[in-house]
Amino acid sequence: MNSADRSLQTPGKTAYPRRLEGRAKVTGAARYTGDLGSRQIGLDLLHAVAVQSKAASGRVRSIDTTAAEAIAGVRAVLTHQNAPRLKPVKTLTGSEIDLYLPLQDDRLHYHGQPIAVVVAETLEQARYAATLLTAEYEVCDHPALSFTEQLPDASPVKKVAAGDPGRVVRGHPEPAFLTAPVQLDLTYTTMPAHHNAIEPGATIAVWDNRGRLTAWSATQFTYGDATSLGQAFGFGPLEQKLGILPRAAAGIQLGGGKIRVIAPLVGGAFGSKASNATLLLAAMAAKTVGAPVKLVLTREQTYAMMPYRSAVIQRVRIGASSDGKLSALLHDAVIQHSRVGPFIEPVGEWTPHLYACDHLKTSHKIVRLDVNAPGWMRAPGAAPGLFGLECAMDELAQTLGIDPVELRLRNYTDVDPQTGHAWSSKSLRECYRAAADRVGWKDRNPRCGSMREPGDLIGFGMATAAYRTMQFPAVARVFLTANGEAVVQSAAHEIGQGAFTSLTQIAAESLGQSLDRVRFEFGDSHLPFAFITAGSATTLSVGSAIKLAAEKLKRAMILRARTDKASPLYRVPLREIEAANSRMFVRDDPNRGEEYCSLIARHPNRTFAAKAVAGRTFGKSRYGRAAFGAQFAQVAVDPATGQVRVQRLVGAFAGGRVINRVLAEGQLRGGMIWGLGQALLEESVLDSRNGNWVNSNLAEALVPTNSDVPSVEPLLIEEDDSRGSALGAKGLGEIGITGVAAAVANAVYHATGKRVRELPIKLDKLLDFKLI
Ligand code: MOS
């Protein structure tokens, strides 16, 4: 990447650096795990192909590998009978491999479970040989494959994802509901959906002759994967202690430095790479054949071997006064689940925190099916949960004849109503106002079915968006090389969200170094610790550590200069010295100063480095911390066919200090488009006869394309969040999807008078509407 690329600016906007790896990505020069071959790794790679179960439950009776093994180039076929034995794994995030390790026994938990891995010299040989495997199953008679049929078996859970409580009660919700002047009792349904990140699961595993293991992997968490490998392959007692984050944060070497996981650029994750499907299989295969092995999933394989968002049925009950004040809010979710895997969609996570209401309840139940494990997917909990809650709020507004924005303002709260803590900052009022103004909310005719364009019914809808801001532990190291280049190191990940750029930018600003002289090294468990790149937390978490380390180094450089007789800054009072563009200088006399590199040149034997730890306590705060926003949608519905087209999405978001507006808007726009997909298109269809995902390809899995997305406008409301953190940023990665589906469904109601409570809103949902 040359320096000209780095200095590109967006016309008419403040000079935020463009994506540093952007040119490499659009020219195809960027390398993802699957792009790495023998040349890049420097070793000859063998190729592995995973073979999946065609039965959903029961046992593998036998697998005949003879024909596959007879194919030229085939080096091994791993099955549960000969695969290396793995020790139990407890990862730092609690991924599905807590409970299920592949190829360890003959039990089947889902259709598409890996039952064998074929390793050959070429990918073609491995693929062909894989087709020759024949498995016989002892099939269980009645696999549970239908969410709706199994609903009577739903069982309550104590905890949902991220350790949140499965049940929250405030006041006396049931009696408060039953005595409320206005009562709504509504049920909303959402379907399963897969992430479909462009890059599939992929790992290259290399064992060297000293027993060291290196894996290049498409992952959101190199340290977590290294921990899993260390535990699974028994790398000694160290790994048993790795759950203790402060120790990890202090920079311990995993497995005594014998395990290393490297994440090159990651081609989209959104939670799908938080539980690494290919990691253990590739490592087992490489160990078996005694040679480096590369395993990449096909698109179809990602459906069963990577996670997805569960189907959810939510019941929302709202009790309110006739002027729209909430007196009771009950949110009960039933979530489709699997036999193995601990992730449970935290559907009601936001319900206790969004509106003032004294009597409240959330609960979560799961229905176990013989399907693969669901997992984290962009805005876990809030994406389905706010669909239910924000549609129900709209239904209340319509019932009472109150403007939907006004209804939210009547229940607005400046404290987190669940904890009583003040929010570190909350500019949701400004978000409602800004987005409503932009979309022309006041100019609409609020009566259903009243707005028309030739051939179409037009509707406007809105919803609140919210996502919590988390701060995870992170360590950063910054040093200056002999030629004055700054190197920043932290095991964070570039998963497409722009962390490479925003974190490089924070380092440059905090060190007073020009951006093109900062090199950020990331995505490697041999670098200083960073927690999982997830939860919209990376800019704040890793950025805080980088800021601290870079400021520490800047101060050390300035102190060194003012005690160095040869420096123009000798004996200048500390408070009068500044640094910018790789140079220290006197604030009121900028010509007096010197470059970092000239100071370094006079001290060739000294290292100029600093290290810092941030968020050791997971960012515990006495303030509630969250980003808030407002989503508005304008839709057109064809009354003849029921087809819904989104004409316009406008979202306003308050997420603290904006580090890089271009990248932040990109994240928000992507989230809003995904929300549009959730509203109108996305649904993974499970065949209830055999447990197979039937639309496991990008032709039949519908996602929005350009023609579905005419205008998407994210507006950023800048906040001072210094009460929340020194960096002042909040999470902006996930909030963009939240509330969109509700805004679209509410707009469809406004256009047609038909309330659709089941996503996605395809033609069949609007076949029968009659204008009211
Ligand atoms: Mo995300 S669903 O926290 O990767």
Side-chain angles (χ1 to χ4, degrees):
M1 223 163 301
N2 63 41
S3 56
D5 296 325
R6 294 186 171 206
S7 58
L8 276 177
Q9 289 165 12
T10 310
K13 294 201 170 163
T14 325
Y16 294 103
R18 285 270 183 104
R19 193 178 273 274
L20 297 179
E21 80 288 13
R23 186 187 169 86
K25 280 182 172 170
V26 298
T27 57
R31 302 240 181 240
Y32 301 83
T33 300
D35 297 324
L36 302 176
S38 301
R39 193 146 36 96
Q40 286 79 25
I41 301 293
L43 296 164
D44 284 338
L45 294 178
L46 299 177
H47 296 267
V49 165
V51 180
Q52 297 170 280
S53 160
K54 291 193 169 64
S57 71
R59 288 174 188 279
V60 178
R61 190 181 292 143
S62 64
I63 301 180
D64 186 350
T65 60
T66 344
E69 281 161 347
I71 297 301
V74 169
R75 298 282 280 272
V77 180
L78 284 77
T79 68
H80 68 272
Q81 287 177 314
N82 63 352
R85 294 301 101 182
L86 301 176
K87 296 193 166 60
V89 168
K90 179 85 190 157
T91 65
L92 293 180
T93 49
S95 71
E96 76 236 35
I97 49 180
D98 284 357
L99 299 175
Y100 166 67
L101 296 172
L103 305 186
Q104 298 301 295
D105 57 47
D106 62 358
R107 278 176 302 159
L108 292 173
H109 306 286
Y110 53 91
H111 187 287
Q113 175 180 324
I115 56 167
V117 173
V118 179
V119 187
E121 282 155 25
T122 69
L123 179 59
E124 291 74 16
Q125 291 164 342
R127 266 206 195 141
Y128 176 58
T131 65
L132 301 179
L133 284 192
T134 47
E136 285 189 26
Y137 307 100
E138 201 176 297
V139 181
C140 147
D141 279 345
H142 300 290
L145 294 170
S146 162
F147 182 32
T148 43
E149 279 170 26
Q150 307 296 326
L151 277 177
D153 297 338
S155 55
V157 289
K158 289 208 177 72
K159 289 216 182 297
V160 288
D164 286 340
R167 186 181 164 84
V168 171
V169 177
R170 188 156 95 205
H172 305 284
E174 305 272 354
F177 173 70
L178 292 172
T179 54
V182 182
Q183 298 169 20
L184 296 181
D185 185 346
L186 306 159
T187 298
Y188 301 90
T189 306
T190 48
M191 292 296 155
H194 283 75
H195 309 69
N196 277 309
I198 291 297
E199 183 195 31
T203 301
I204 295 167
V206 180
W207 293 83
D208 71 11
N209 51 17
R210 292 161 61 189
R212 292 183 301 195
L213 171 59
T214 302
W216 285 262
S217 207
T219 178
Q220 298 173 243
F221 194 17
T222 53
Y223 267 80
D225 285 1
T227 307
S228 304
L229 289 172
Q231 295 175 356
F233 290 96
F235 270 75
L238 240 185
E239 283 67 36
Q240 309 313 318
K241 296 178 185 163
L242 285 179
I244 306 162
L245 281 163
R247 283 207 50 190
I252 56 163
Q253 292 267 297
L254 301 173
K258 286 197 185 127
I259 307 167
R260 181 175 184 187
V261 175
I262 300 167
L265 295 175
V266 177
F270 317 108
S272 69
K273 287 163 182 147
S275 46
N276 198 318
T278 47
L279 185 75
L280 293 173
L281 290 175
M284 281 194 278
K287 195 174 169 77
T288 302
V289 295
V293 167
K294 173 172 168 177
L295 172 61
V296 181
L297 300 183
T298 64
R299 174 66 48 190
E300 186 179 5
Q301 287 179 324
T302 64
Y303 269 68
M305 289 179 61
M306 294 178 80
Y308 58 96
R309 179 143 28 231
S310 306
V312 177
I313 298 174
Q314 319 171 42
R315 181 181 183 197
V316 183
R317 281 171 286 171
I318 297 186
S321 61
S322 54
D323 63 355
K325 285 261 173 55
L326 300 185
S327 56
L329 182 53
L330 297 87
H331 195 171
D332 301 295
V334 186
I335 301 144
Q336 167 255 311
H337 196 54
S338 51
R339 297 290 175 199
V340 290
F343 175 87
I344 297 167
E345 185 85 27
V347 178
E349 179 189 313
W350 263 97
T351 308
H353 308 287
L354 210 48
Y355 299 113
C357 180
D358 291 338
H359 303 283
L360 173 138
K361 183 190 104 174
T362 66
S363 77
H364 297 78
K365 284 182 177 178
I366 57 168
V367 171
R368 285 191 192 276
L369 300 185
D370 294 300
V371 296
N372 57 305
W376 310 93
M377 186 157 126
R378 187 168 260 214
L386 287 185
F387 167 65
L389 180 59
E390 288 299 291
C391 284
M393 286 295 279
D394 196 70
E395 299 206 41
L396 179 63
Q398 304 295 346
T399 303
L400 297 175
I402 298 174
D403 181 282
V405 177
E406 172 59 25
L407 180 75
R408 271 112 179 143
L409 293 174
R410 286 186 194 174
N411 294 288
Y412 199 86
T413 168
D414 286 307
V415 299
D416 179 340
Q418 184 60 28
T419 61
H421 294 168
W423 298 104
S424 63
S425 53
K426 180 180 179 181
S427 310
L428 179 54
R429 275 194 189 88
E430 292 76 359
C431 293
Y432 289 134
R433 198 176 304 133
D437 285 353
R438 178 64 72 97
V439 84
W441 180 252
K442 284 216 173 69
D443 301 330
R444 83 198 193 290
N445 182 336
R447 201 165 56 79
C448 283
S450 64
M451 296 185 73
R452 284 157 198 257
E453 272 175 10
D456 279 326
L457 300 164
I458 303 299
F460 287 80
M462 61 80 58
T464 306
Y467 203 73
R468 62 176 164 189
T469 287
M470 293 181 276
Q471 188 172 346
F472 298 150
V475 188
R477 181 165 182 263
V478 182
F479 61 91
L480 284 156
T481 64
N483 63 12
E485 189 186 26
V487 179
V488 186
Q489 298 176 319
S490 182
H493 311 77
E494 174 55 62
I495 59 174
Q497 85 283 41
F500 180 20
T501 309
S502 62
L503 296 175
T504 304
Q505 191 192 325
I506 290 170
E509 281 168 14
S510 311
L511 182 59
Q513 176 91 343
S514 52
L515 190 79
D516 59 357
R517 301 190 75 195
V518 179
R519 189 171 84 230
F520 180 34
E521 297 178 353
F522 57 90
D524 185 336
S525 67
H526 273 192
L527 293 171
F529 179 84
F531 196 60
I532 187 167
T533 292
S536 306
T538 293
T539 303
L540 174 56
S541 307
V542 184
S544 293
I546 289 175
K547 179 176 154 65
L548 288 174
E551 285 174 349
K552 217 192 251 185
L553 180 56
K554 175 169 84 176
R555 192 179 156 85
M557 296 303 288
I558 291 172
L559 288 173
R560 168 74 36 199
R562 61 182 296 276
T563 52
D564 182 344
K565 281 186 186 145
S567 172
L569 297 168
Y570 182 59
R571 287 194 165 163
V572 175
L574 191 58
R575 62 178 183 282
E576 291 176 18
I577 307 177
E578 260 185 27
N581 293 319
S582 315
R583 188 171 170 276
M584 302 167 279
F585 55 91
V586 179
R587 187 176 300 111
D588 297 330
D589 181 9
N591 289 328
R592 185 174 169 198
E594 68 171 326
E595 300 249 335
Y596 282 142
C597 59
S598 70
L599 175 71
I600 294 166
R602 294 196 302 276
H603 302 275
N605 297 323
R606 195 171 280 280
T607 48
F608 295 94
K611 192 168 172 177
V613 183
R616 200 184 269 282
T617 56
F618 271 89
K620 284 212 177 72
S621 168
R622 59 204 172 92
Y623 297 109
R625 292 165 82 183
F628 291 93
Q631 307 271 17
F632 287 72
Q634 180 188 331
V635 304
V637 183
D638 182 333
T641 63
Q643 184 175 44
V644 180
R645 309 284 309 187
V646 171
Q647 295 183 316
R648 218 174 156 200
L649 291 178
V650 176
F653 306 93
R657 183 187 150 208
V658 176
I659 303 292
N660 185 312
R661 186 169 289 270
V662 178
L663 293 172
E665 286 175 358
Q667 285 292 287
L668 293 166
R669 191 175 291 116
M672 291 165 77
I673 293 169
W674 200 338
L676 189 164
Q678 180 193 14
L680 299 182
L681 300 166
E682 292 186 37
E683 174 179 3
S684 294
V685 179
L686 189 75
D687 189 332
S688 59
R689 297 166 307 179
N690 56 20
N692 183 30
W693 296 106
V694 296
N695 55 341
S696 54
N697 58 74
L698 291 180
E700 293 168 291
L702 300 183
V703 297
T705 61
N706 281 334
S707 66
D708 299 307
V709 185
S711 169
V712 177
E713 295 173 83
L715 313 174
L716 277 162
I717 308 294
E718 189 114 30
E719 291 178 308
D720 172 10
D721 195 48
S722 48
R723 294 208 301 194
S725 70
L727 189 64
K730 292 180 183 174
L732 274 175
E734 293 171 281
I735 187 173
I737 190 176
T738 70
V740 177
V744 171
N746 296 339
V748 167
Y749 175 78
H750 176 230
T752 64
K754 164 105 187 195
R755 180 59 69 175
V756 182
R757 301 192 183 94
E758 185 181 329
L759 297 183
I761 308 174
K762 293 192 180 171
L763 302 182
D764 58 313
K765 314 275 173 31
L766 288 166
L767 277 180
D768 58 341
F769 76 87
K770 291 200 182 60
L771 283 178
I772 50 173

